[in-house]
Structures are given as C-alpha cells and as structure tokens.
Amino acid sequence: MSSYVTRKTPGDTEWFTASRFGMFIHWGLYSMPARHEWVKTREKISEEKYEQYFKHFNPDQYDPKEWAKAAKAAGMKYAVLTTKHHEGFCLFDSQYTDYKCTNTPAGRDLVKEYVDAFRAEGLHIGFYYSLIDWHHPDFPIDMLHPRRDDENAYELNHGRDMRKYAEYMRNQVTELLTNYGKIDVLWFDFSYSRHEVPKDKPWMKGKGKDDWEAEKLIAAARSLQPHIIIDNRTELEQDLWTPEQYQPMEWVRHQETGELVTWEACQTFSGSWGYHRDEATWKSPELLIRMLINTVSLGGNLLMNVGPNARGVFDSRAKAALAAYGEWMSVNSRSIYNCTMAEPKFKAPQDCRLTQSMDGKRLYVHLYAYPFGKLFMPGLGGRVEYAQFVHDNSEVLFVSGHGELVNAGIHMKEGVSQTEDLLVLDLPPVKPNVLIPVIELFLKD
Ligand code: GLC
C-alpha cells in the first residue's frame, strides 16, 4: 500500500484517488453567447436580453453518449457536469423553477441523459452545482451580480430573502441526489464571504457558508448519499480540496493540521470554462499531458474541463485536446491509475517526474526532456529488479553497484558521482514515438 495517509473525511475517496483523471463539463445558456460562462455579469446583461438565450437554447446535436465515449477514450474515469451554473439555468427538470432546459427548445432533462450515458460507459458521475445564482429572485444583489451597477440595485434587493434561496438549493440538491441514482461527486461552487465591498455600496456583501446554510445543505446531501464526495467550496470543509487554474508545487495540506488531503486540480484546455468561440489560448498536447503527470506526481487528481458548444458538441479544438490525452493514455495510463507521489527517498532526476504505484512496487519515470544516452538515478542502485518502457514493454537495460558501473565504464566518466546506490539506465538514442515516454521500474521487495 501507498505509504501516504490522507486526512479522513466522510465521503468515499478510494475509487476517486485510484481514478486520477476526470472530465469537467461546463455547459449552459452561456455556451450561446460563447464568450465565457461569466458573460451575464461581465457584460451586465439584462434579464430581458439574457432571456433570448433561454428562448433559443436548442442543442440539436446533444448526444452525451458521444461525450462519454470521448471522456473514456481520453482515459478519464469520472465526470462532473454543471447541473446549474452561476447564471441559474438548470440542465435538469427541477420542480422548483421554470428556468430549466425542459422549458427551452431542448425540451428534455439533459442531466438525465448525461447520467445514463456516462454510467453506461462505466464512468463515475459528478454534479457541479452553483451556490451563486444570478437569476433567482431571492438571491441578493452583490458585487459579482449582473445588476450590481444598476441605479436601483439597492431597491432591487428589497425583499430578496436569502433564507428562501438557501431552501431552494436544498430542494434542488435533494432532487439531484434522489432522481438520478448513485451520484459520486457533488461539486459546489463557490463562496466569497471575504470579498472586498465596493466603497460606494457598503450594503453589498459577499456570501459564504452562513448564507448558503451550508450545514443543512450538506446534511441534506449526506442523508441521501452518505458516500458522496463533496468539495470545500461551501466554506465547510468536506472531502475535497480544489486548487483551480494553477499547478500546486507540493501535495496539498490541511491548513491547520498539516495533514495531506485529497485534492483535485481543475483546469481548462483554453482560457474559459464555458464554450468560448474566440478564445485562442489552447494548451499544447505536451503541456496537457504534463499537467496530468505533475498532478499525480504530487498525489492529486486532475479534472480537465470541456465546454461543449450550443449545439451540444465538443468542437474540433476540444476533440483534438482530448485525443492528445487519449493517444498518450492508451499506452501510458499504467503510470497514472492507482499511482501516487513517489516515496520521498526516490528523487526525480532532472527534467523527470516520478509516480509510484499505490502498492509501492513500481516506480514510473516520466521523461519531460529526453536525455542523451543514459539516465542517472541516485538512490536506486540495487533496488530495481527489471525496467521497461511502458508504451511498448520494451526492456531498458541498466547497471548499478560498483562492479557493474566499473564494467560499463561509467567509473571513468567525469562529472558522474558513482555512489554504490547509483542506477544507470541505458536509453536508446532516439526518443520513442510518444510525447512523454515513461520508464517502469520494478522495485525489489
Ligand atoms: C470558478 C468560476 C467558474 C468555474 C469554476 C470551476 O469558480 O466561477 O466559472 O465554474 O471556477 O472551478
């Protein structure tokens, strides 16, 4: 077993950490303006104008079976779909609102179809649910709200009742966790109770756990699905820490106790979560794969986002990015699934990242820059039984221990300190035809 113990939490995180790689899906009305999922508030779009999207939402090519197949082919083991994002629009048939997909030309419960399709592919199911709601009449206007600069914003807030909104959320979460079978992840987003208050509008306040009535909300969720993994973004600590849009430098720790925690980085292919037609900062295949490896090499999961377009499909750029993962994962996933951060005694050589199987028996060396001729790994001499490339199981020869190093002529090399525990892997001169090659070291007992 892995020597790492993480902080104990109520949800079932075992399948989750073994899976390592999931698909985030941001989809809603904002896929129509196609200029970021925050478009309503960024552009302070009026209700009337935003209503156009509701009226014309017609994802005629939505086929979540295709999404599920694409996720699976990319090597992803679970998915998290925005059942409701900050705009307040529901992709499910909720009895507590009319602002839902069944009342648009889409005409059906899109969450239901997603659940069925992903489950059929053997993927675990997650629901994202926005705590923020820029449509609900009881959600008080604050500094993030589209109506924040309206002249009558203060008056508009009159009569808005956060208690009612909190109840609305409990009702909807209850629906989501009652009507769709077993749900594995519940991803709330997000709290901002310490957000700066605009000087000219001191009555505005950010929102956090007390506003959401987070204790009751989470109790409601757990009573229905006790095993479920819940993130920390209600401001109430649960199972999952979620660093967003950056790569942590070390395993994420609990702030007070210093314990290691279960964490999941969420990232995008380009600079938006929702479908963005004109955004062009798409990450290269190599960077995407590195982000996955970096994450697992620090004991985390990667939730990589796709923003389907308004017809309900992944566009060619998203498909290409997923295909890059698929191509690499189809031959290298052994270094990702059921793997974690390598034991501290194993040090990654320059330009490499290590992962280790959770049973501790195999060490994986990911070659970010392909070295010339030999790979020197201090600390591993005498500990390796067999070595091979993962993508084709072809043997990688190695020497270690003074005698072998002498016989191989390595003792005569300047600038190489030949300690007894040096392992020297003999690499082919030409980099194998995979974006990032991985060497598997079978460790001696
Ligand atoms: C942010 C954004 C949001 C996105 C989320 C994903 O909190 O508000 O648009 O859904 O990050 O982590």
Side-chain angles (χ1 to χ4, degrees), residues 64-83:
K65 291 192 209 82
E66 291 298 318
W67 295 7
K69 274 191 214 131
K72 194 170 179 176
M76 293 157 163
K77 296 281 197 187
Y78 62 102
V80 179
L81 169 72
T82 53
T83 58

Side-chain angles (χ1 to χ4, degrees), residues 374-406:
K374 307 233 177 300
L375 186 69
F376 297 96
M377 298 193 68
L380 274 160
R383 292 178 185 237
V384 174
E385 177 184 294
Y386 185 70
Q388 61 183 358
F389 277 112
V390 174
H391 68 277
D392 65 354
N393 280 5
S394 66
E395 182 176 11
V396 174
L397 297 171
F398 61 86
V399 290
S400 73
H402 188 67
E404 286 183 23
L405 293 172
V406 168

Side-chain angles (χ1 to χ4, degrees), residues 24 26 36-38 82 85-86 128 132 134 187 189-190 233 242 244-245 266 273-274:
F24 215 169
H26 274 68
H36 200 275
E37 75 284 353
W38 278 51
T82 53
H85 202 261
H86 308 338
Y128 168 110
I132 299 171
W134 296 326
W187 222 100
D189 190 39
F190 65 77
R233 292 191 178 193
T242 59
E244 171 177 333
Q245 296 290 36
C266 49
W273 299 89

Side-chain angles (χ1 to χ4, degrees), residues 130-151:
S130 175
L131 301 163
I132 299 171
D133 195 315
W134 296 326
H135 178 80
H136 198 284
D138 278 308
F139 189 91
I141 293 165
D142 58 31
M143 57 293 250
L144 301 183
H145 197 280
R147 299 280 66 76
R148 65 190 171 282
D149 288 335
D150 284 15
E151 260 174 44

Side-chain angles (χ1 to χ4, degrees), residues 262-273:
T262 303
W263 67 275
E264 177 193 61
C266 49
Q267 312 274 2
T268 51
F269 287 146
S270 77
S272 173
W273 299 89

